[in-house]
Every structure is written in C-alpha cells, then in structure tokens.
Amino acid sequence: MVSWGERILEWPLPPREPELREVVAPVKGLGYSNGGCALDVDGDGVEEIIVARGGGRWCADPKLYWFQETAAGRWSEHLAVEMGRGSIAPHDLVPISFGTGRDQARGVVAVLDRRQLEWYQIPADPAAPWLRHPIATLPKANQSGLKVGDVAGHGRSDLVCGTFWVECPADPLEEPWVVHRYSHWEDEGWGGMDKVELADMDGDGQPEIVATEAEIPNARVGIFYRDPKLPEGEWNYRELDRGLYCPHSLVLTDIDGDGAVDIIVGEMTAGGWSFPLNDRPRILAYLNRRKQPFEKHVLVEGWGVHEMGLVPRHGSEPLMLFAADETQTQKFADMKTRVHFWMLRPKL
C-alpha cells in the first residue's frame, strides 16, 4: 500500500509493524496531488507510482512525476511533464491506453482545476519528457471524479468526469473528443464534484455510471442508465440513497458472490471547507438485487475514509478494503491522519 501527502509512504498489506517506510522524503513547501495511480511505466513488470507535486496546500503550478523503487529503499523520482503554471494539481489521475501491440499509446489522464481534461503520453524512453495532449474543457466548473471505460460501445477509452462523459474519437491524437452531459447534479450545489465508477449493474451488457456526491453533506448515491432512445442526451437516474456525509469513497465489487456488481461507499470525518465534523462516519454496502431494491448494510461505523481502495482478490480470500481518513487540520488542529484496513467476509 502506498500513500502520499507531504511525503510518500509504503507498507505491506495487511500492515505489519514496524514495516511502514518513508520512500520519498518531504520537500519543503511542496505537497502531492489528491490524484495519482500505479502503472508499469518502463515495462519492467513492476509498477511505478505516478503523482503530481506542487506548491502549498493546493499543489499550485504542478509537475507530474513518476517514482521508481530502488534497491536502496529510497525511490528515485523522474519528472514527466510540467502540467501548467497557474493550475492546481489534479484531483484525479488514472491510466489510459489506446490501440494495441506496437501501435499502442500509453499514459495517464488527469483533470486539472476540476475542469480541464488532458492526457500525458509515455514516450518510448519514459525518462524523456512526456507528451501533453489536451482533451476538453468541461462546460461547467467544479467537476471531479474520473473513470476510463468504453461508454459509447466503440471499443475505445471514453472518460467519465463529474457530470459529463467524454467520447474518445477514432484517432485520439488528431480528432476532437466530444463532451456529453449525463447528469445535472451540479446545478444543486457541488454536485459535479463526484466519485464515479463504470460497471454493468443490471446485466444488460451496457455500462452504467455509479456516482456519489463526494464533497457535500446530505449527498446522494445513485446509478445513471444511458437512454437507448436518446443516446446523446441526459441519462436516466435511479437513486439508491441520500443524506450521506461527503461520500468520497466508492468501490464496486461482487461482495456476496452472486455475480452482480455491488456498491461500497465511505463517508469522511471532515469534508469540504466549511462543514462541521462528522462524529459518526460510515462505510456502507448496497447489495445489487438486479430489478429489486438494493439492500443497504452498515459495514463500519465511526471511521471516516477518503479515497478508499480494494486490494485485488485471489480465490477465496476475503475482500480487503483500505483507506486513509480525510483530515482538515486548518479547522481541527488536533486531527491526525489514520490509515485502516478491513477484511470483509460476507454473511450479509
């Protein structure tokens, strides 16, 4: 497991004391972006960490780096690209690829300033500057959450970000991407600042968008279904729950082994910039019963989570969730970041 904030830490899963290691030391005045990912950058079969670093609390004037494990225990850093003066570092950053074989282009896609989508292509020599490709400026500000998947059904890497999805052209290097709206959540506050996932939730062979309003109290979680009669229009919406506090964690997996994709959502302890402390954050499961109402279960209560992840599962191993709590030290000076993991052996 790897985490970052003012420095980069690594430890095994499940965590064992005292094996927490600092692999990249803090750099005075700089911090790391919320968004980052693991990807085998240099083709050696070992994943590297890709994350941006910038100035101050908002990671201003960010630069994108990839960090490589070394035998000495400290990771070496490689500058990939300067992401833009005047920008703040990406809230979301995920791997993306186009084509196959020798024609394959690999890299990462990021959302800057919660509005600007770009992808950065890894060159033949990954130590050389990465190639920067603008995708689109979203029509509305304050959009976040990012997922790559085949939304249009053309076998290409489309994007979902906030309340929009962006259609990948046949030639993503030369042709324009097309922005489509699927929801109007952002018309009701910070509803464009979401967590989003793609999965076939109803077994019809088409992907749906699962979303949570990640940054606000009294938030919703729901599923958006593309209307086959209006494929370019707003999607149909099925609400699963509301009244959640800043559900900034969203994981999709088959919890109970019935073949249907279930939903796990986690609330924060201290969200946003002006919200009160949440003294009863929860991790919630919504079991997919297809055409029947989803079954809601409280898995954990009292531990806030931010950017929750799911450890890849092997065979009959239990599900393992892990997350760090979100802290707002500018409001709650005595708060400390905690990292936890949970083993889920479903008997729901």
Side-chain angles (χ1 to χ4, degrees):
M1 182 165 60
V2 178
S3 69
W4 50 82
E6 295 179 350
R7 55 181 178 158
I8 300 181
L9 303 171
E10 177 195 46
W11 59 101
L13 280 174
R16 299 185 298 273
E17 295 291 350
E19 296 190 46
L20 170 65
R21 297 192 303 128
E22 180 186 86
V23 293
V24 179
V27 180
K28 186 176 181 180
L30 300 179
Y32 292 94
S33 59
N34 184 85
C37 66
L39 180 67
D40 182 3
V41 173
D42 54 7
D44 66 352
V46 178
E47 291 183 323
E48 284 75 42
I49 294 295
I50 305 172
V51 66
R53 190 169 66 199
R57 181 166 176 261
W58 301 108
C59 295
D61 305 327
K63 298 178 182 179
L64 187 67
Y65 292 87
W66 58 282
F67 293 89
Q68 185 177 35
E69 187 173 2
T70 64
R74 287 281 181 174
W75 292 3
S76 60
E77 69 176 52
H78 305 268
L79 176 63
V81 65
E82 295 195 15
M83 306 182 85
R85 300 284 297 179
S87 297
I88 61 173
H91 184 276
D92 304 278
L93 189 149
V94 296
I96 196 168
S97 63
F98 307 96
T100 58
R102 292 185 177 181
D103 295 328
Q104 186 182 50
R106 299 188 311 130
V108 295
V109 60
V111 53
L112 293 170
D113 300 327
R114 297 189 186 266
R115 192 169 190 179
Q116 180 67 42
L117 288 167
E118 298 184 342
W119 77 278
Y120 305 97
Q121 183 180 359
I122 302 172
D125 177 6
W130 292 15
L131 307 176
R132 183 176 183 171
H133 303 288
I135 292 176
T137 299
L138 298 177
K140 289 279 189 177
N142 293 330
Q143 304 292 314
S144 59
L146 185 62
K147 189 67 179 180
V148 176
D150 183 9
V151 179
H154 300 318
R156 299 195 285 266
S157 296
D158 304 316
L159 305 174
V160 180
C161 181
T163 54
F164 297 90
W165 72 276
V166 188
E167 187 174 355
C168 178
D171 186 346
L173 294 175
E174 299 293 337
E175 299 176 24
W177 296 61
V178 180
V179 178
H180 307 272
R181 177 186 289 277
Y182 74 89
S183 162
H184 276 82
W185 266 4
E186 87 285 348
D187 292 343
E188 300 179 35
W190 291 354
M193 295 158 67
D194 304 321
K195 292 296 292 183
V196 293
E197 289 286 345
L198 276 168
D200 180 6
M201 301 300 294
D202 57 5
D204 67 352
Q206 304 298 317
E208 282 74 50
I209 298 171
V210 181
T212 67
E213 293 176 298
E215 304 279 1
I216 57 175
N218 197 29
R220 293 170 285 188
V221 53
I223 305 172
F224 293 86
Y225 299 82
R226 195 177 185 191
D227 188 342
K229 297 179 181 178
L230 298 169
E232 312 306 325
E234 190 169 339
W235 294 26
N236 297 321
Y237 173 56
R238 178 182 180 182
E239 186 168 290
L240 301 184
D241 206 356
R242 63 169 55 217
L244 280 67
Y245 178 97
C246 300
H248 207 291
S249 289
L250 175 63
V251 168
L252 303 188
T253 187
D254 182 5
I255 296 174
D256 52 3
D258 66 352
V261 179
D262 305 308
I263 301 169
I264 303 175
V265 171
E267 298 177 309
M268 291 159 61
T269 297
W273 297 273
S274 59
F275 308 144
L277 185 67
N278 178 13
D279 60 356
R280 294 178 60 248
R282 300 165 297 169
I283 299 176
L284 303 163
Y286 300 86
L287 299 186
N288 186 353
R289 300 309 186 207
R290 301 293 193 185
K291 295 182 180 181
Q292 302 299 318
F294 278 64
E295 289 183 13
K296 178 180 176 180
H297 298 265
V298 178
L299 301 181
V300 178
E301 190 166 7
W303 299 102
V305 293
H306 184 256
E307 297 288 345
M308 183 169 57
L310 179 68
V311 176
R313 194 178 187 184
H314 302 283
S316 60
E317 293 179 355
L319 292 171
M320 179 185 283
L321 300 168
F322 64 95
D325 196 1
E326 166 73 345
T327 60
Q328 298 284 345
T329 53
Q330 75 277 14
K331 295 188 299 183
F332 307 107
D334 59 341
M335 289 187 72
K336 303 295 182 183
T337 299
R338 302 165 297 184
V339 179
H340 294 276
F341 73 97
W342 296 268
M343 309 292 285
L344 181 60
R345 297 175 174 85
K347 291 183 179 179
L348 301 174

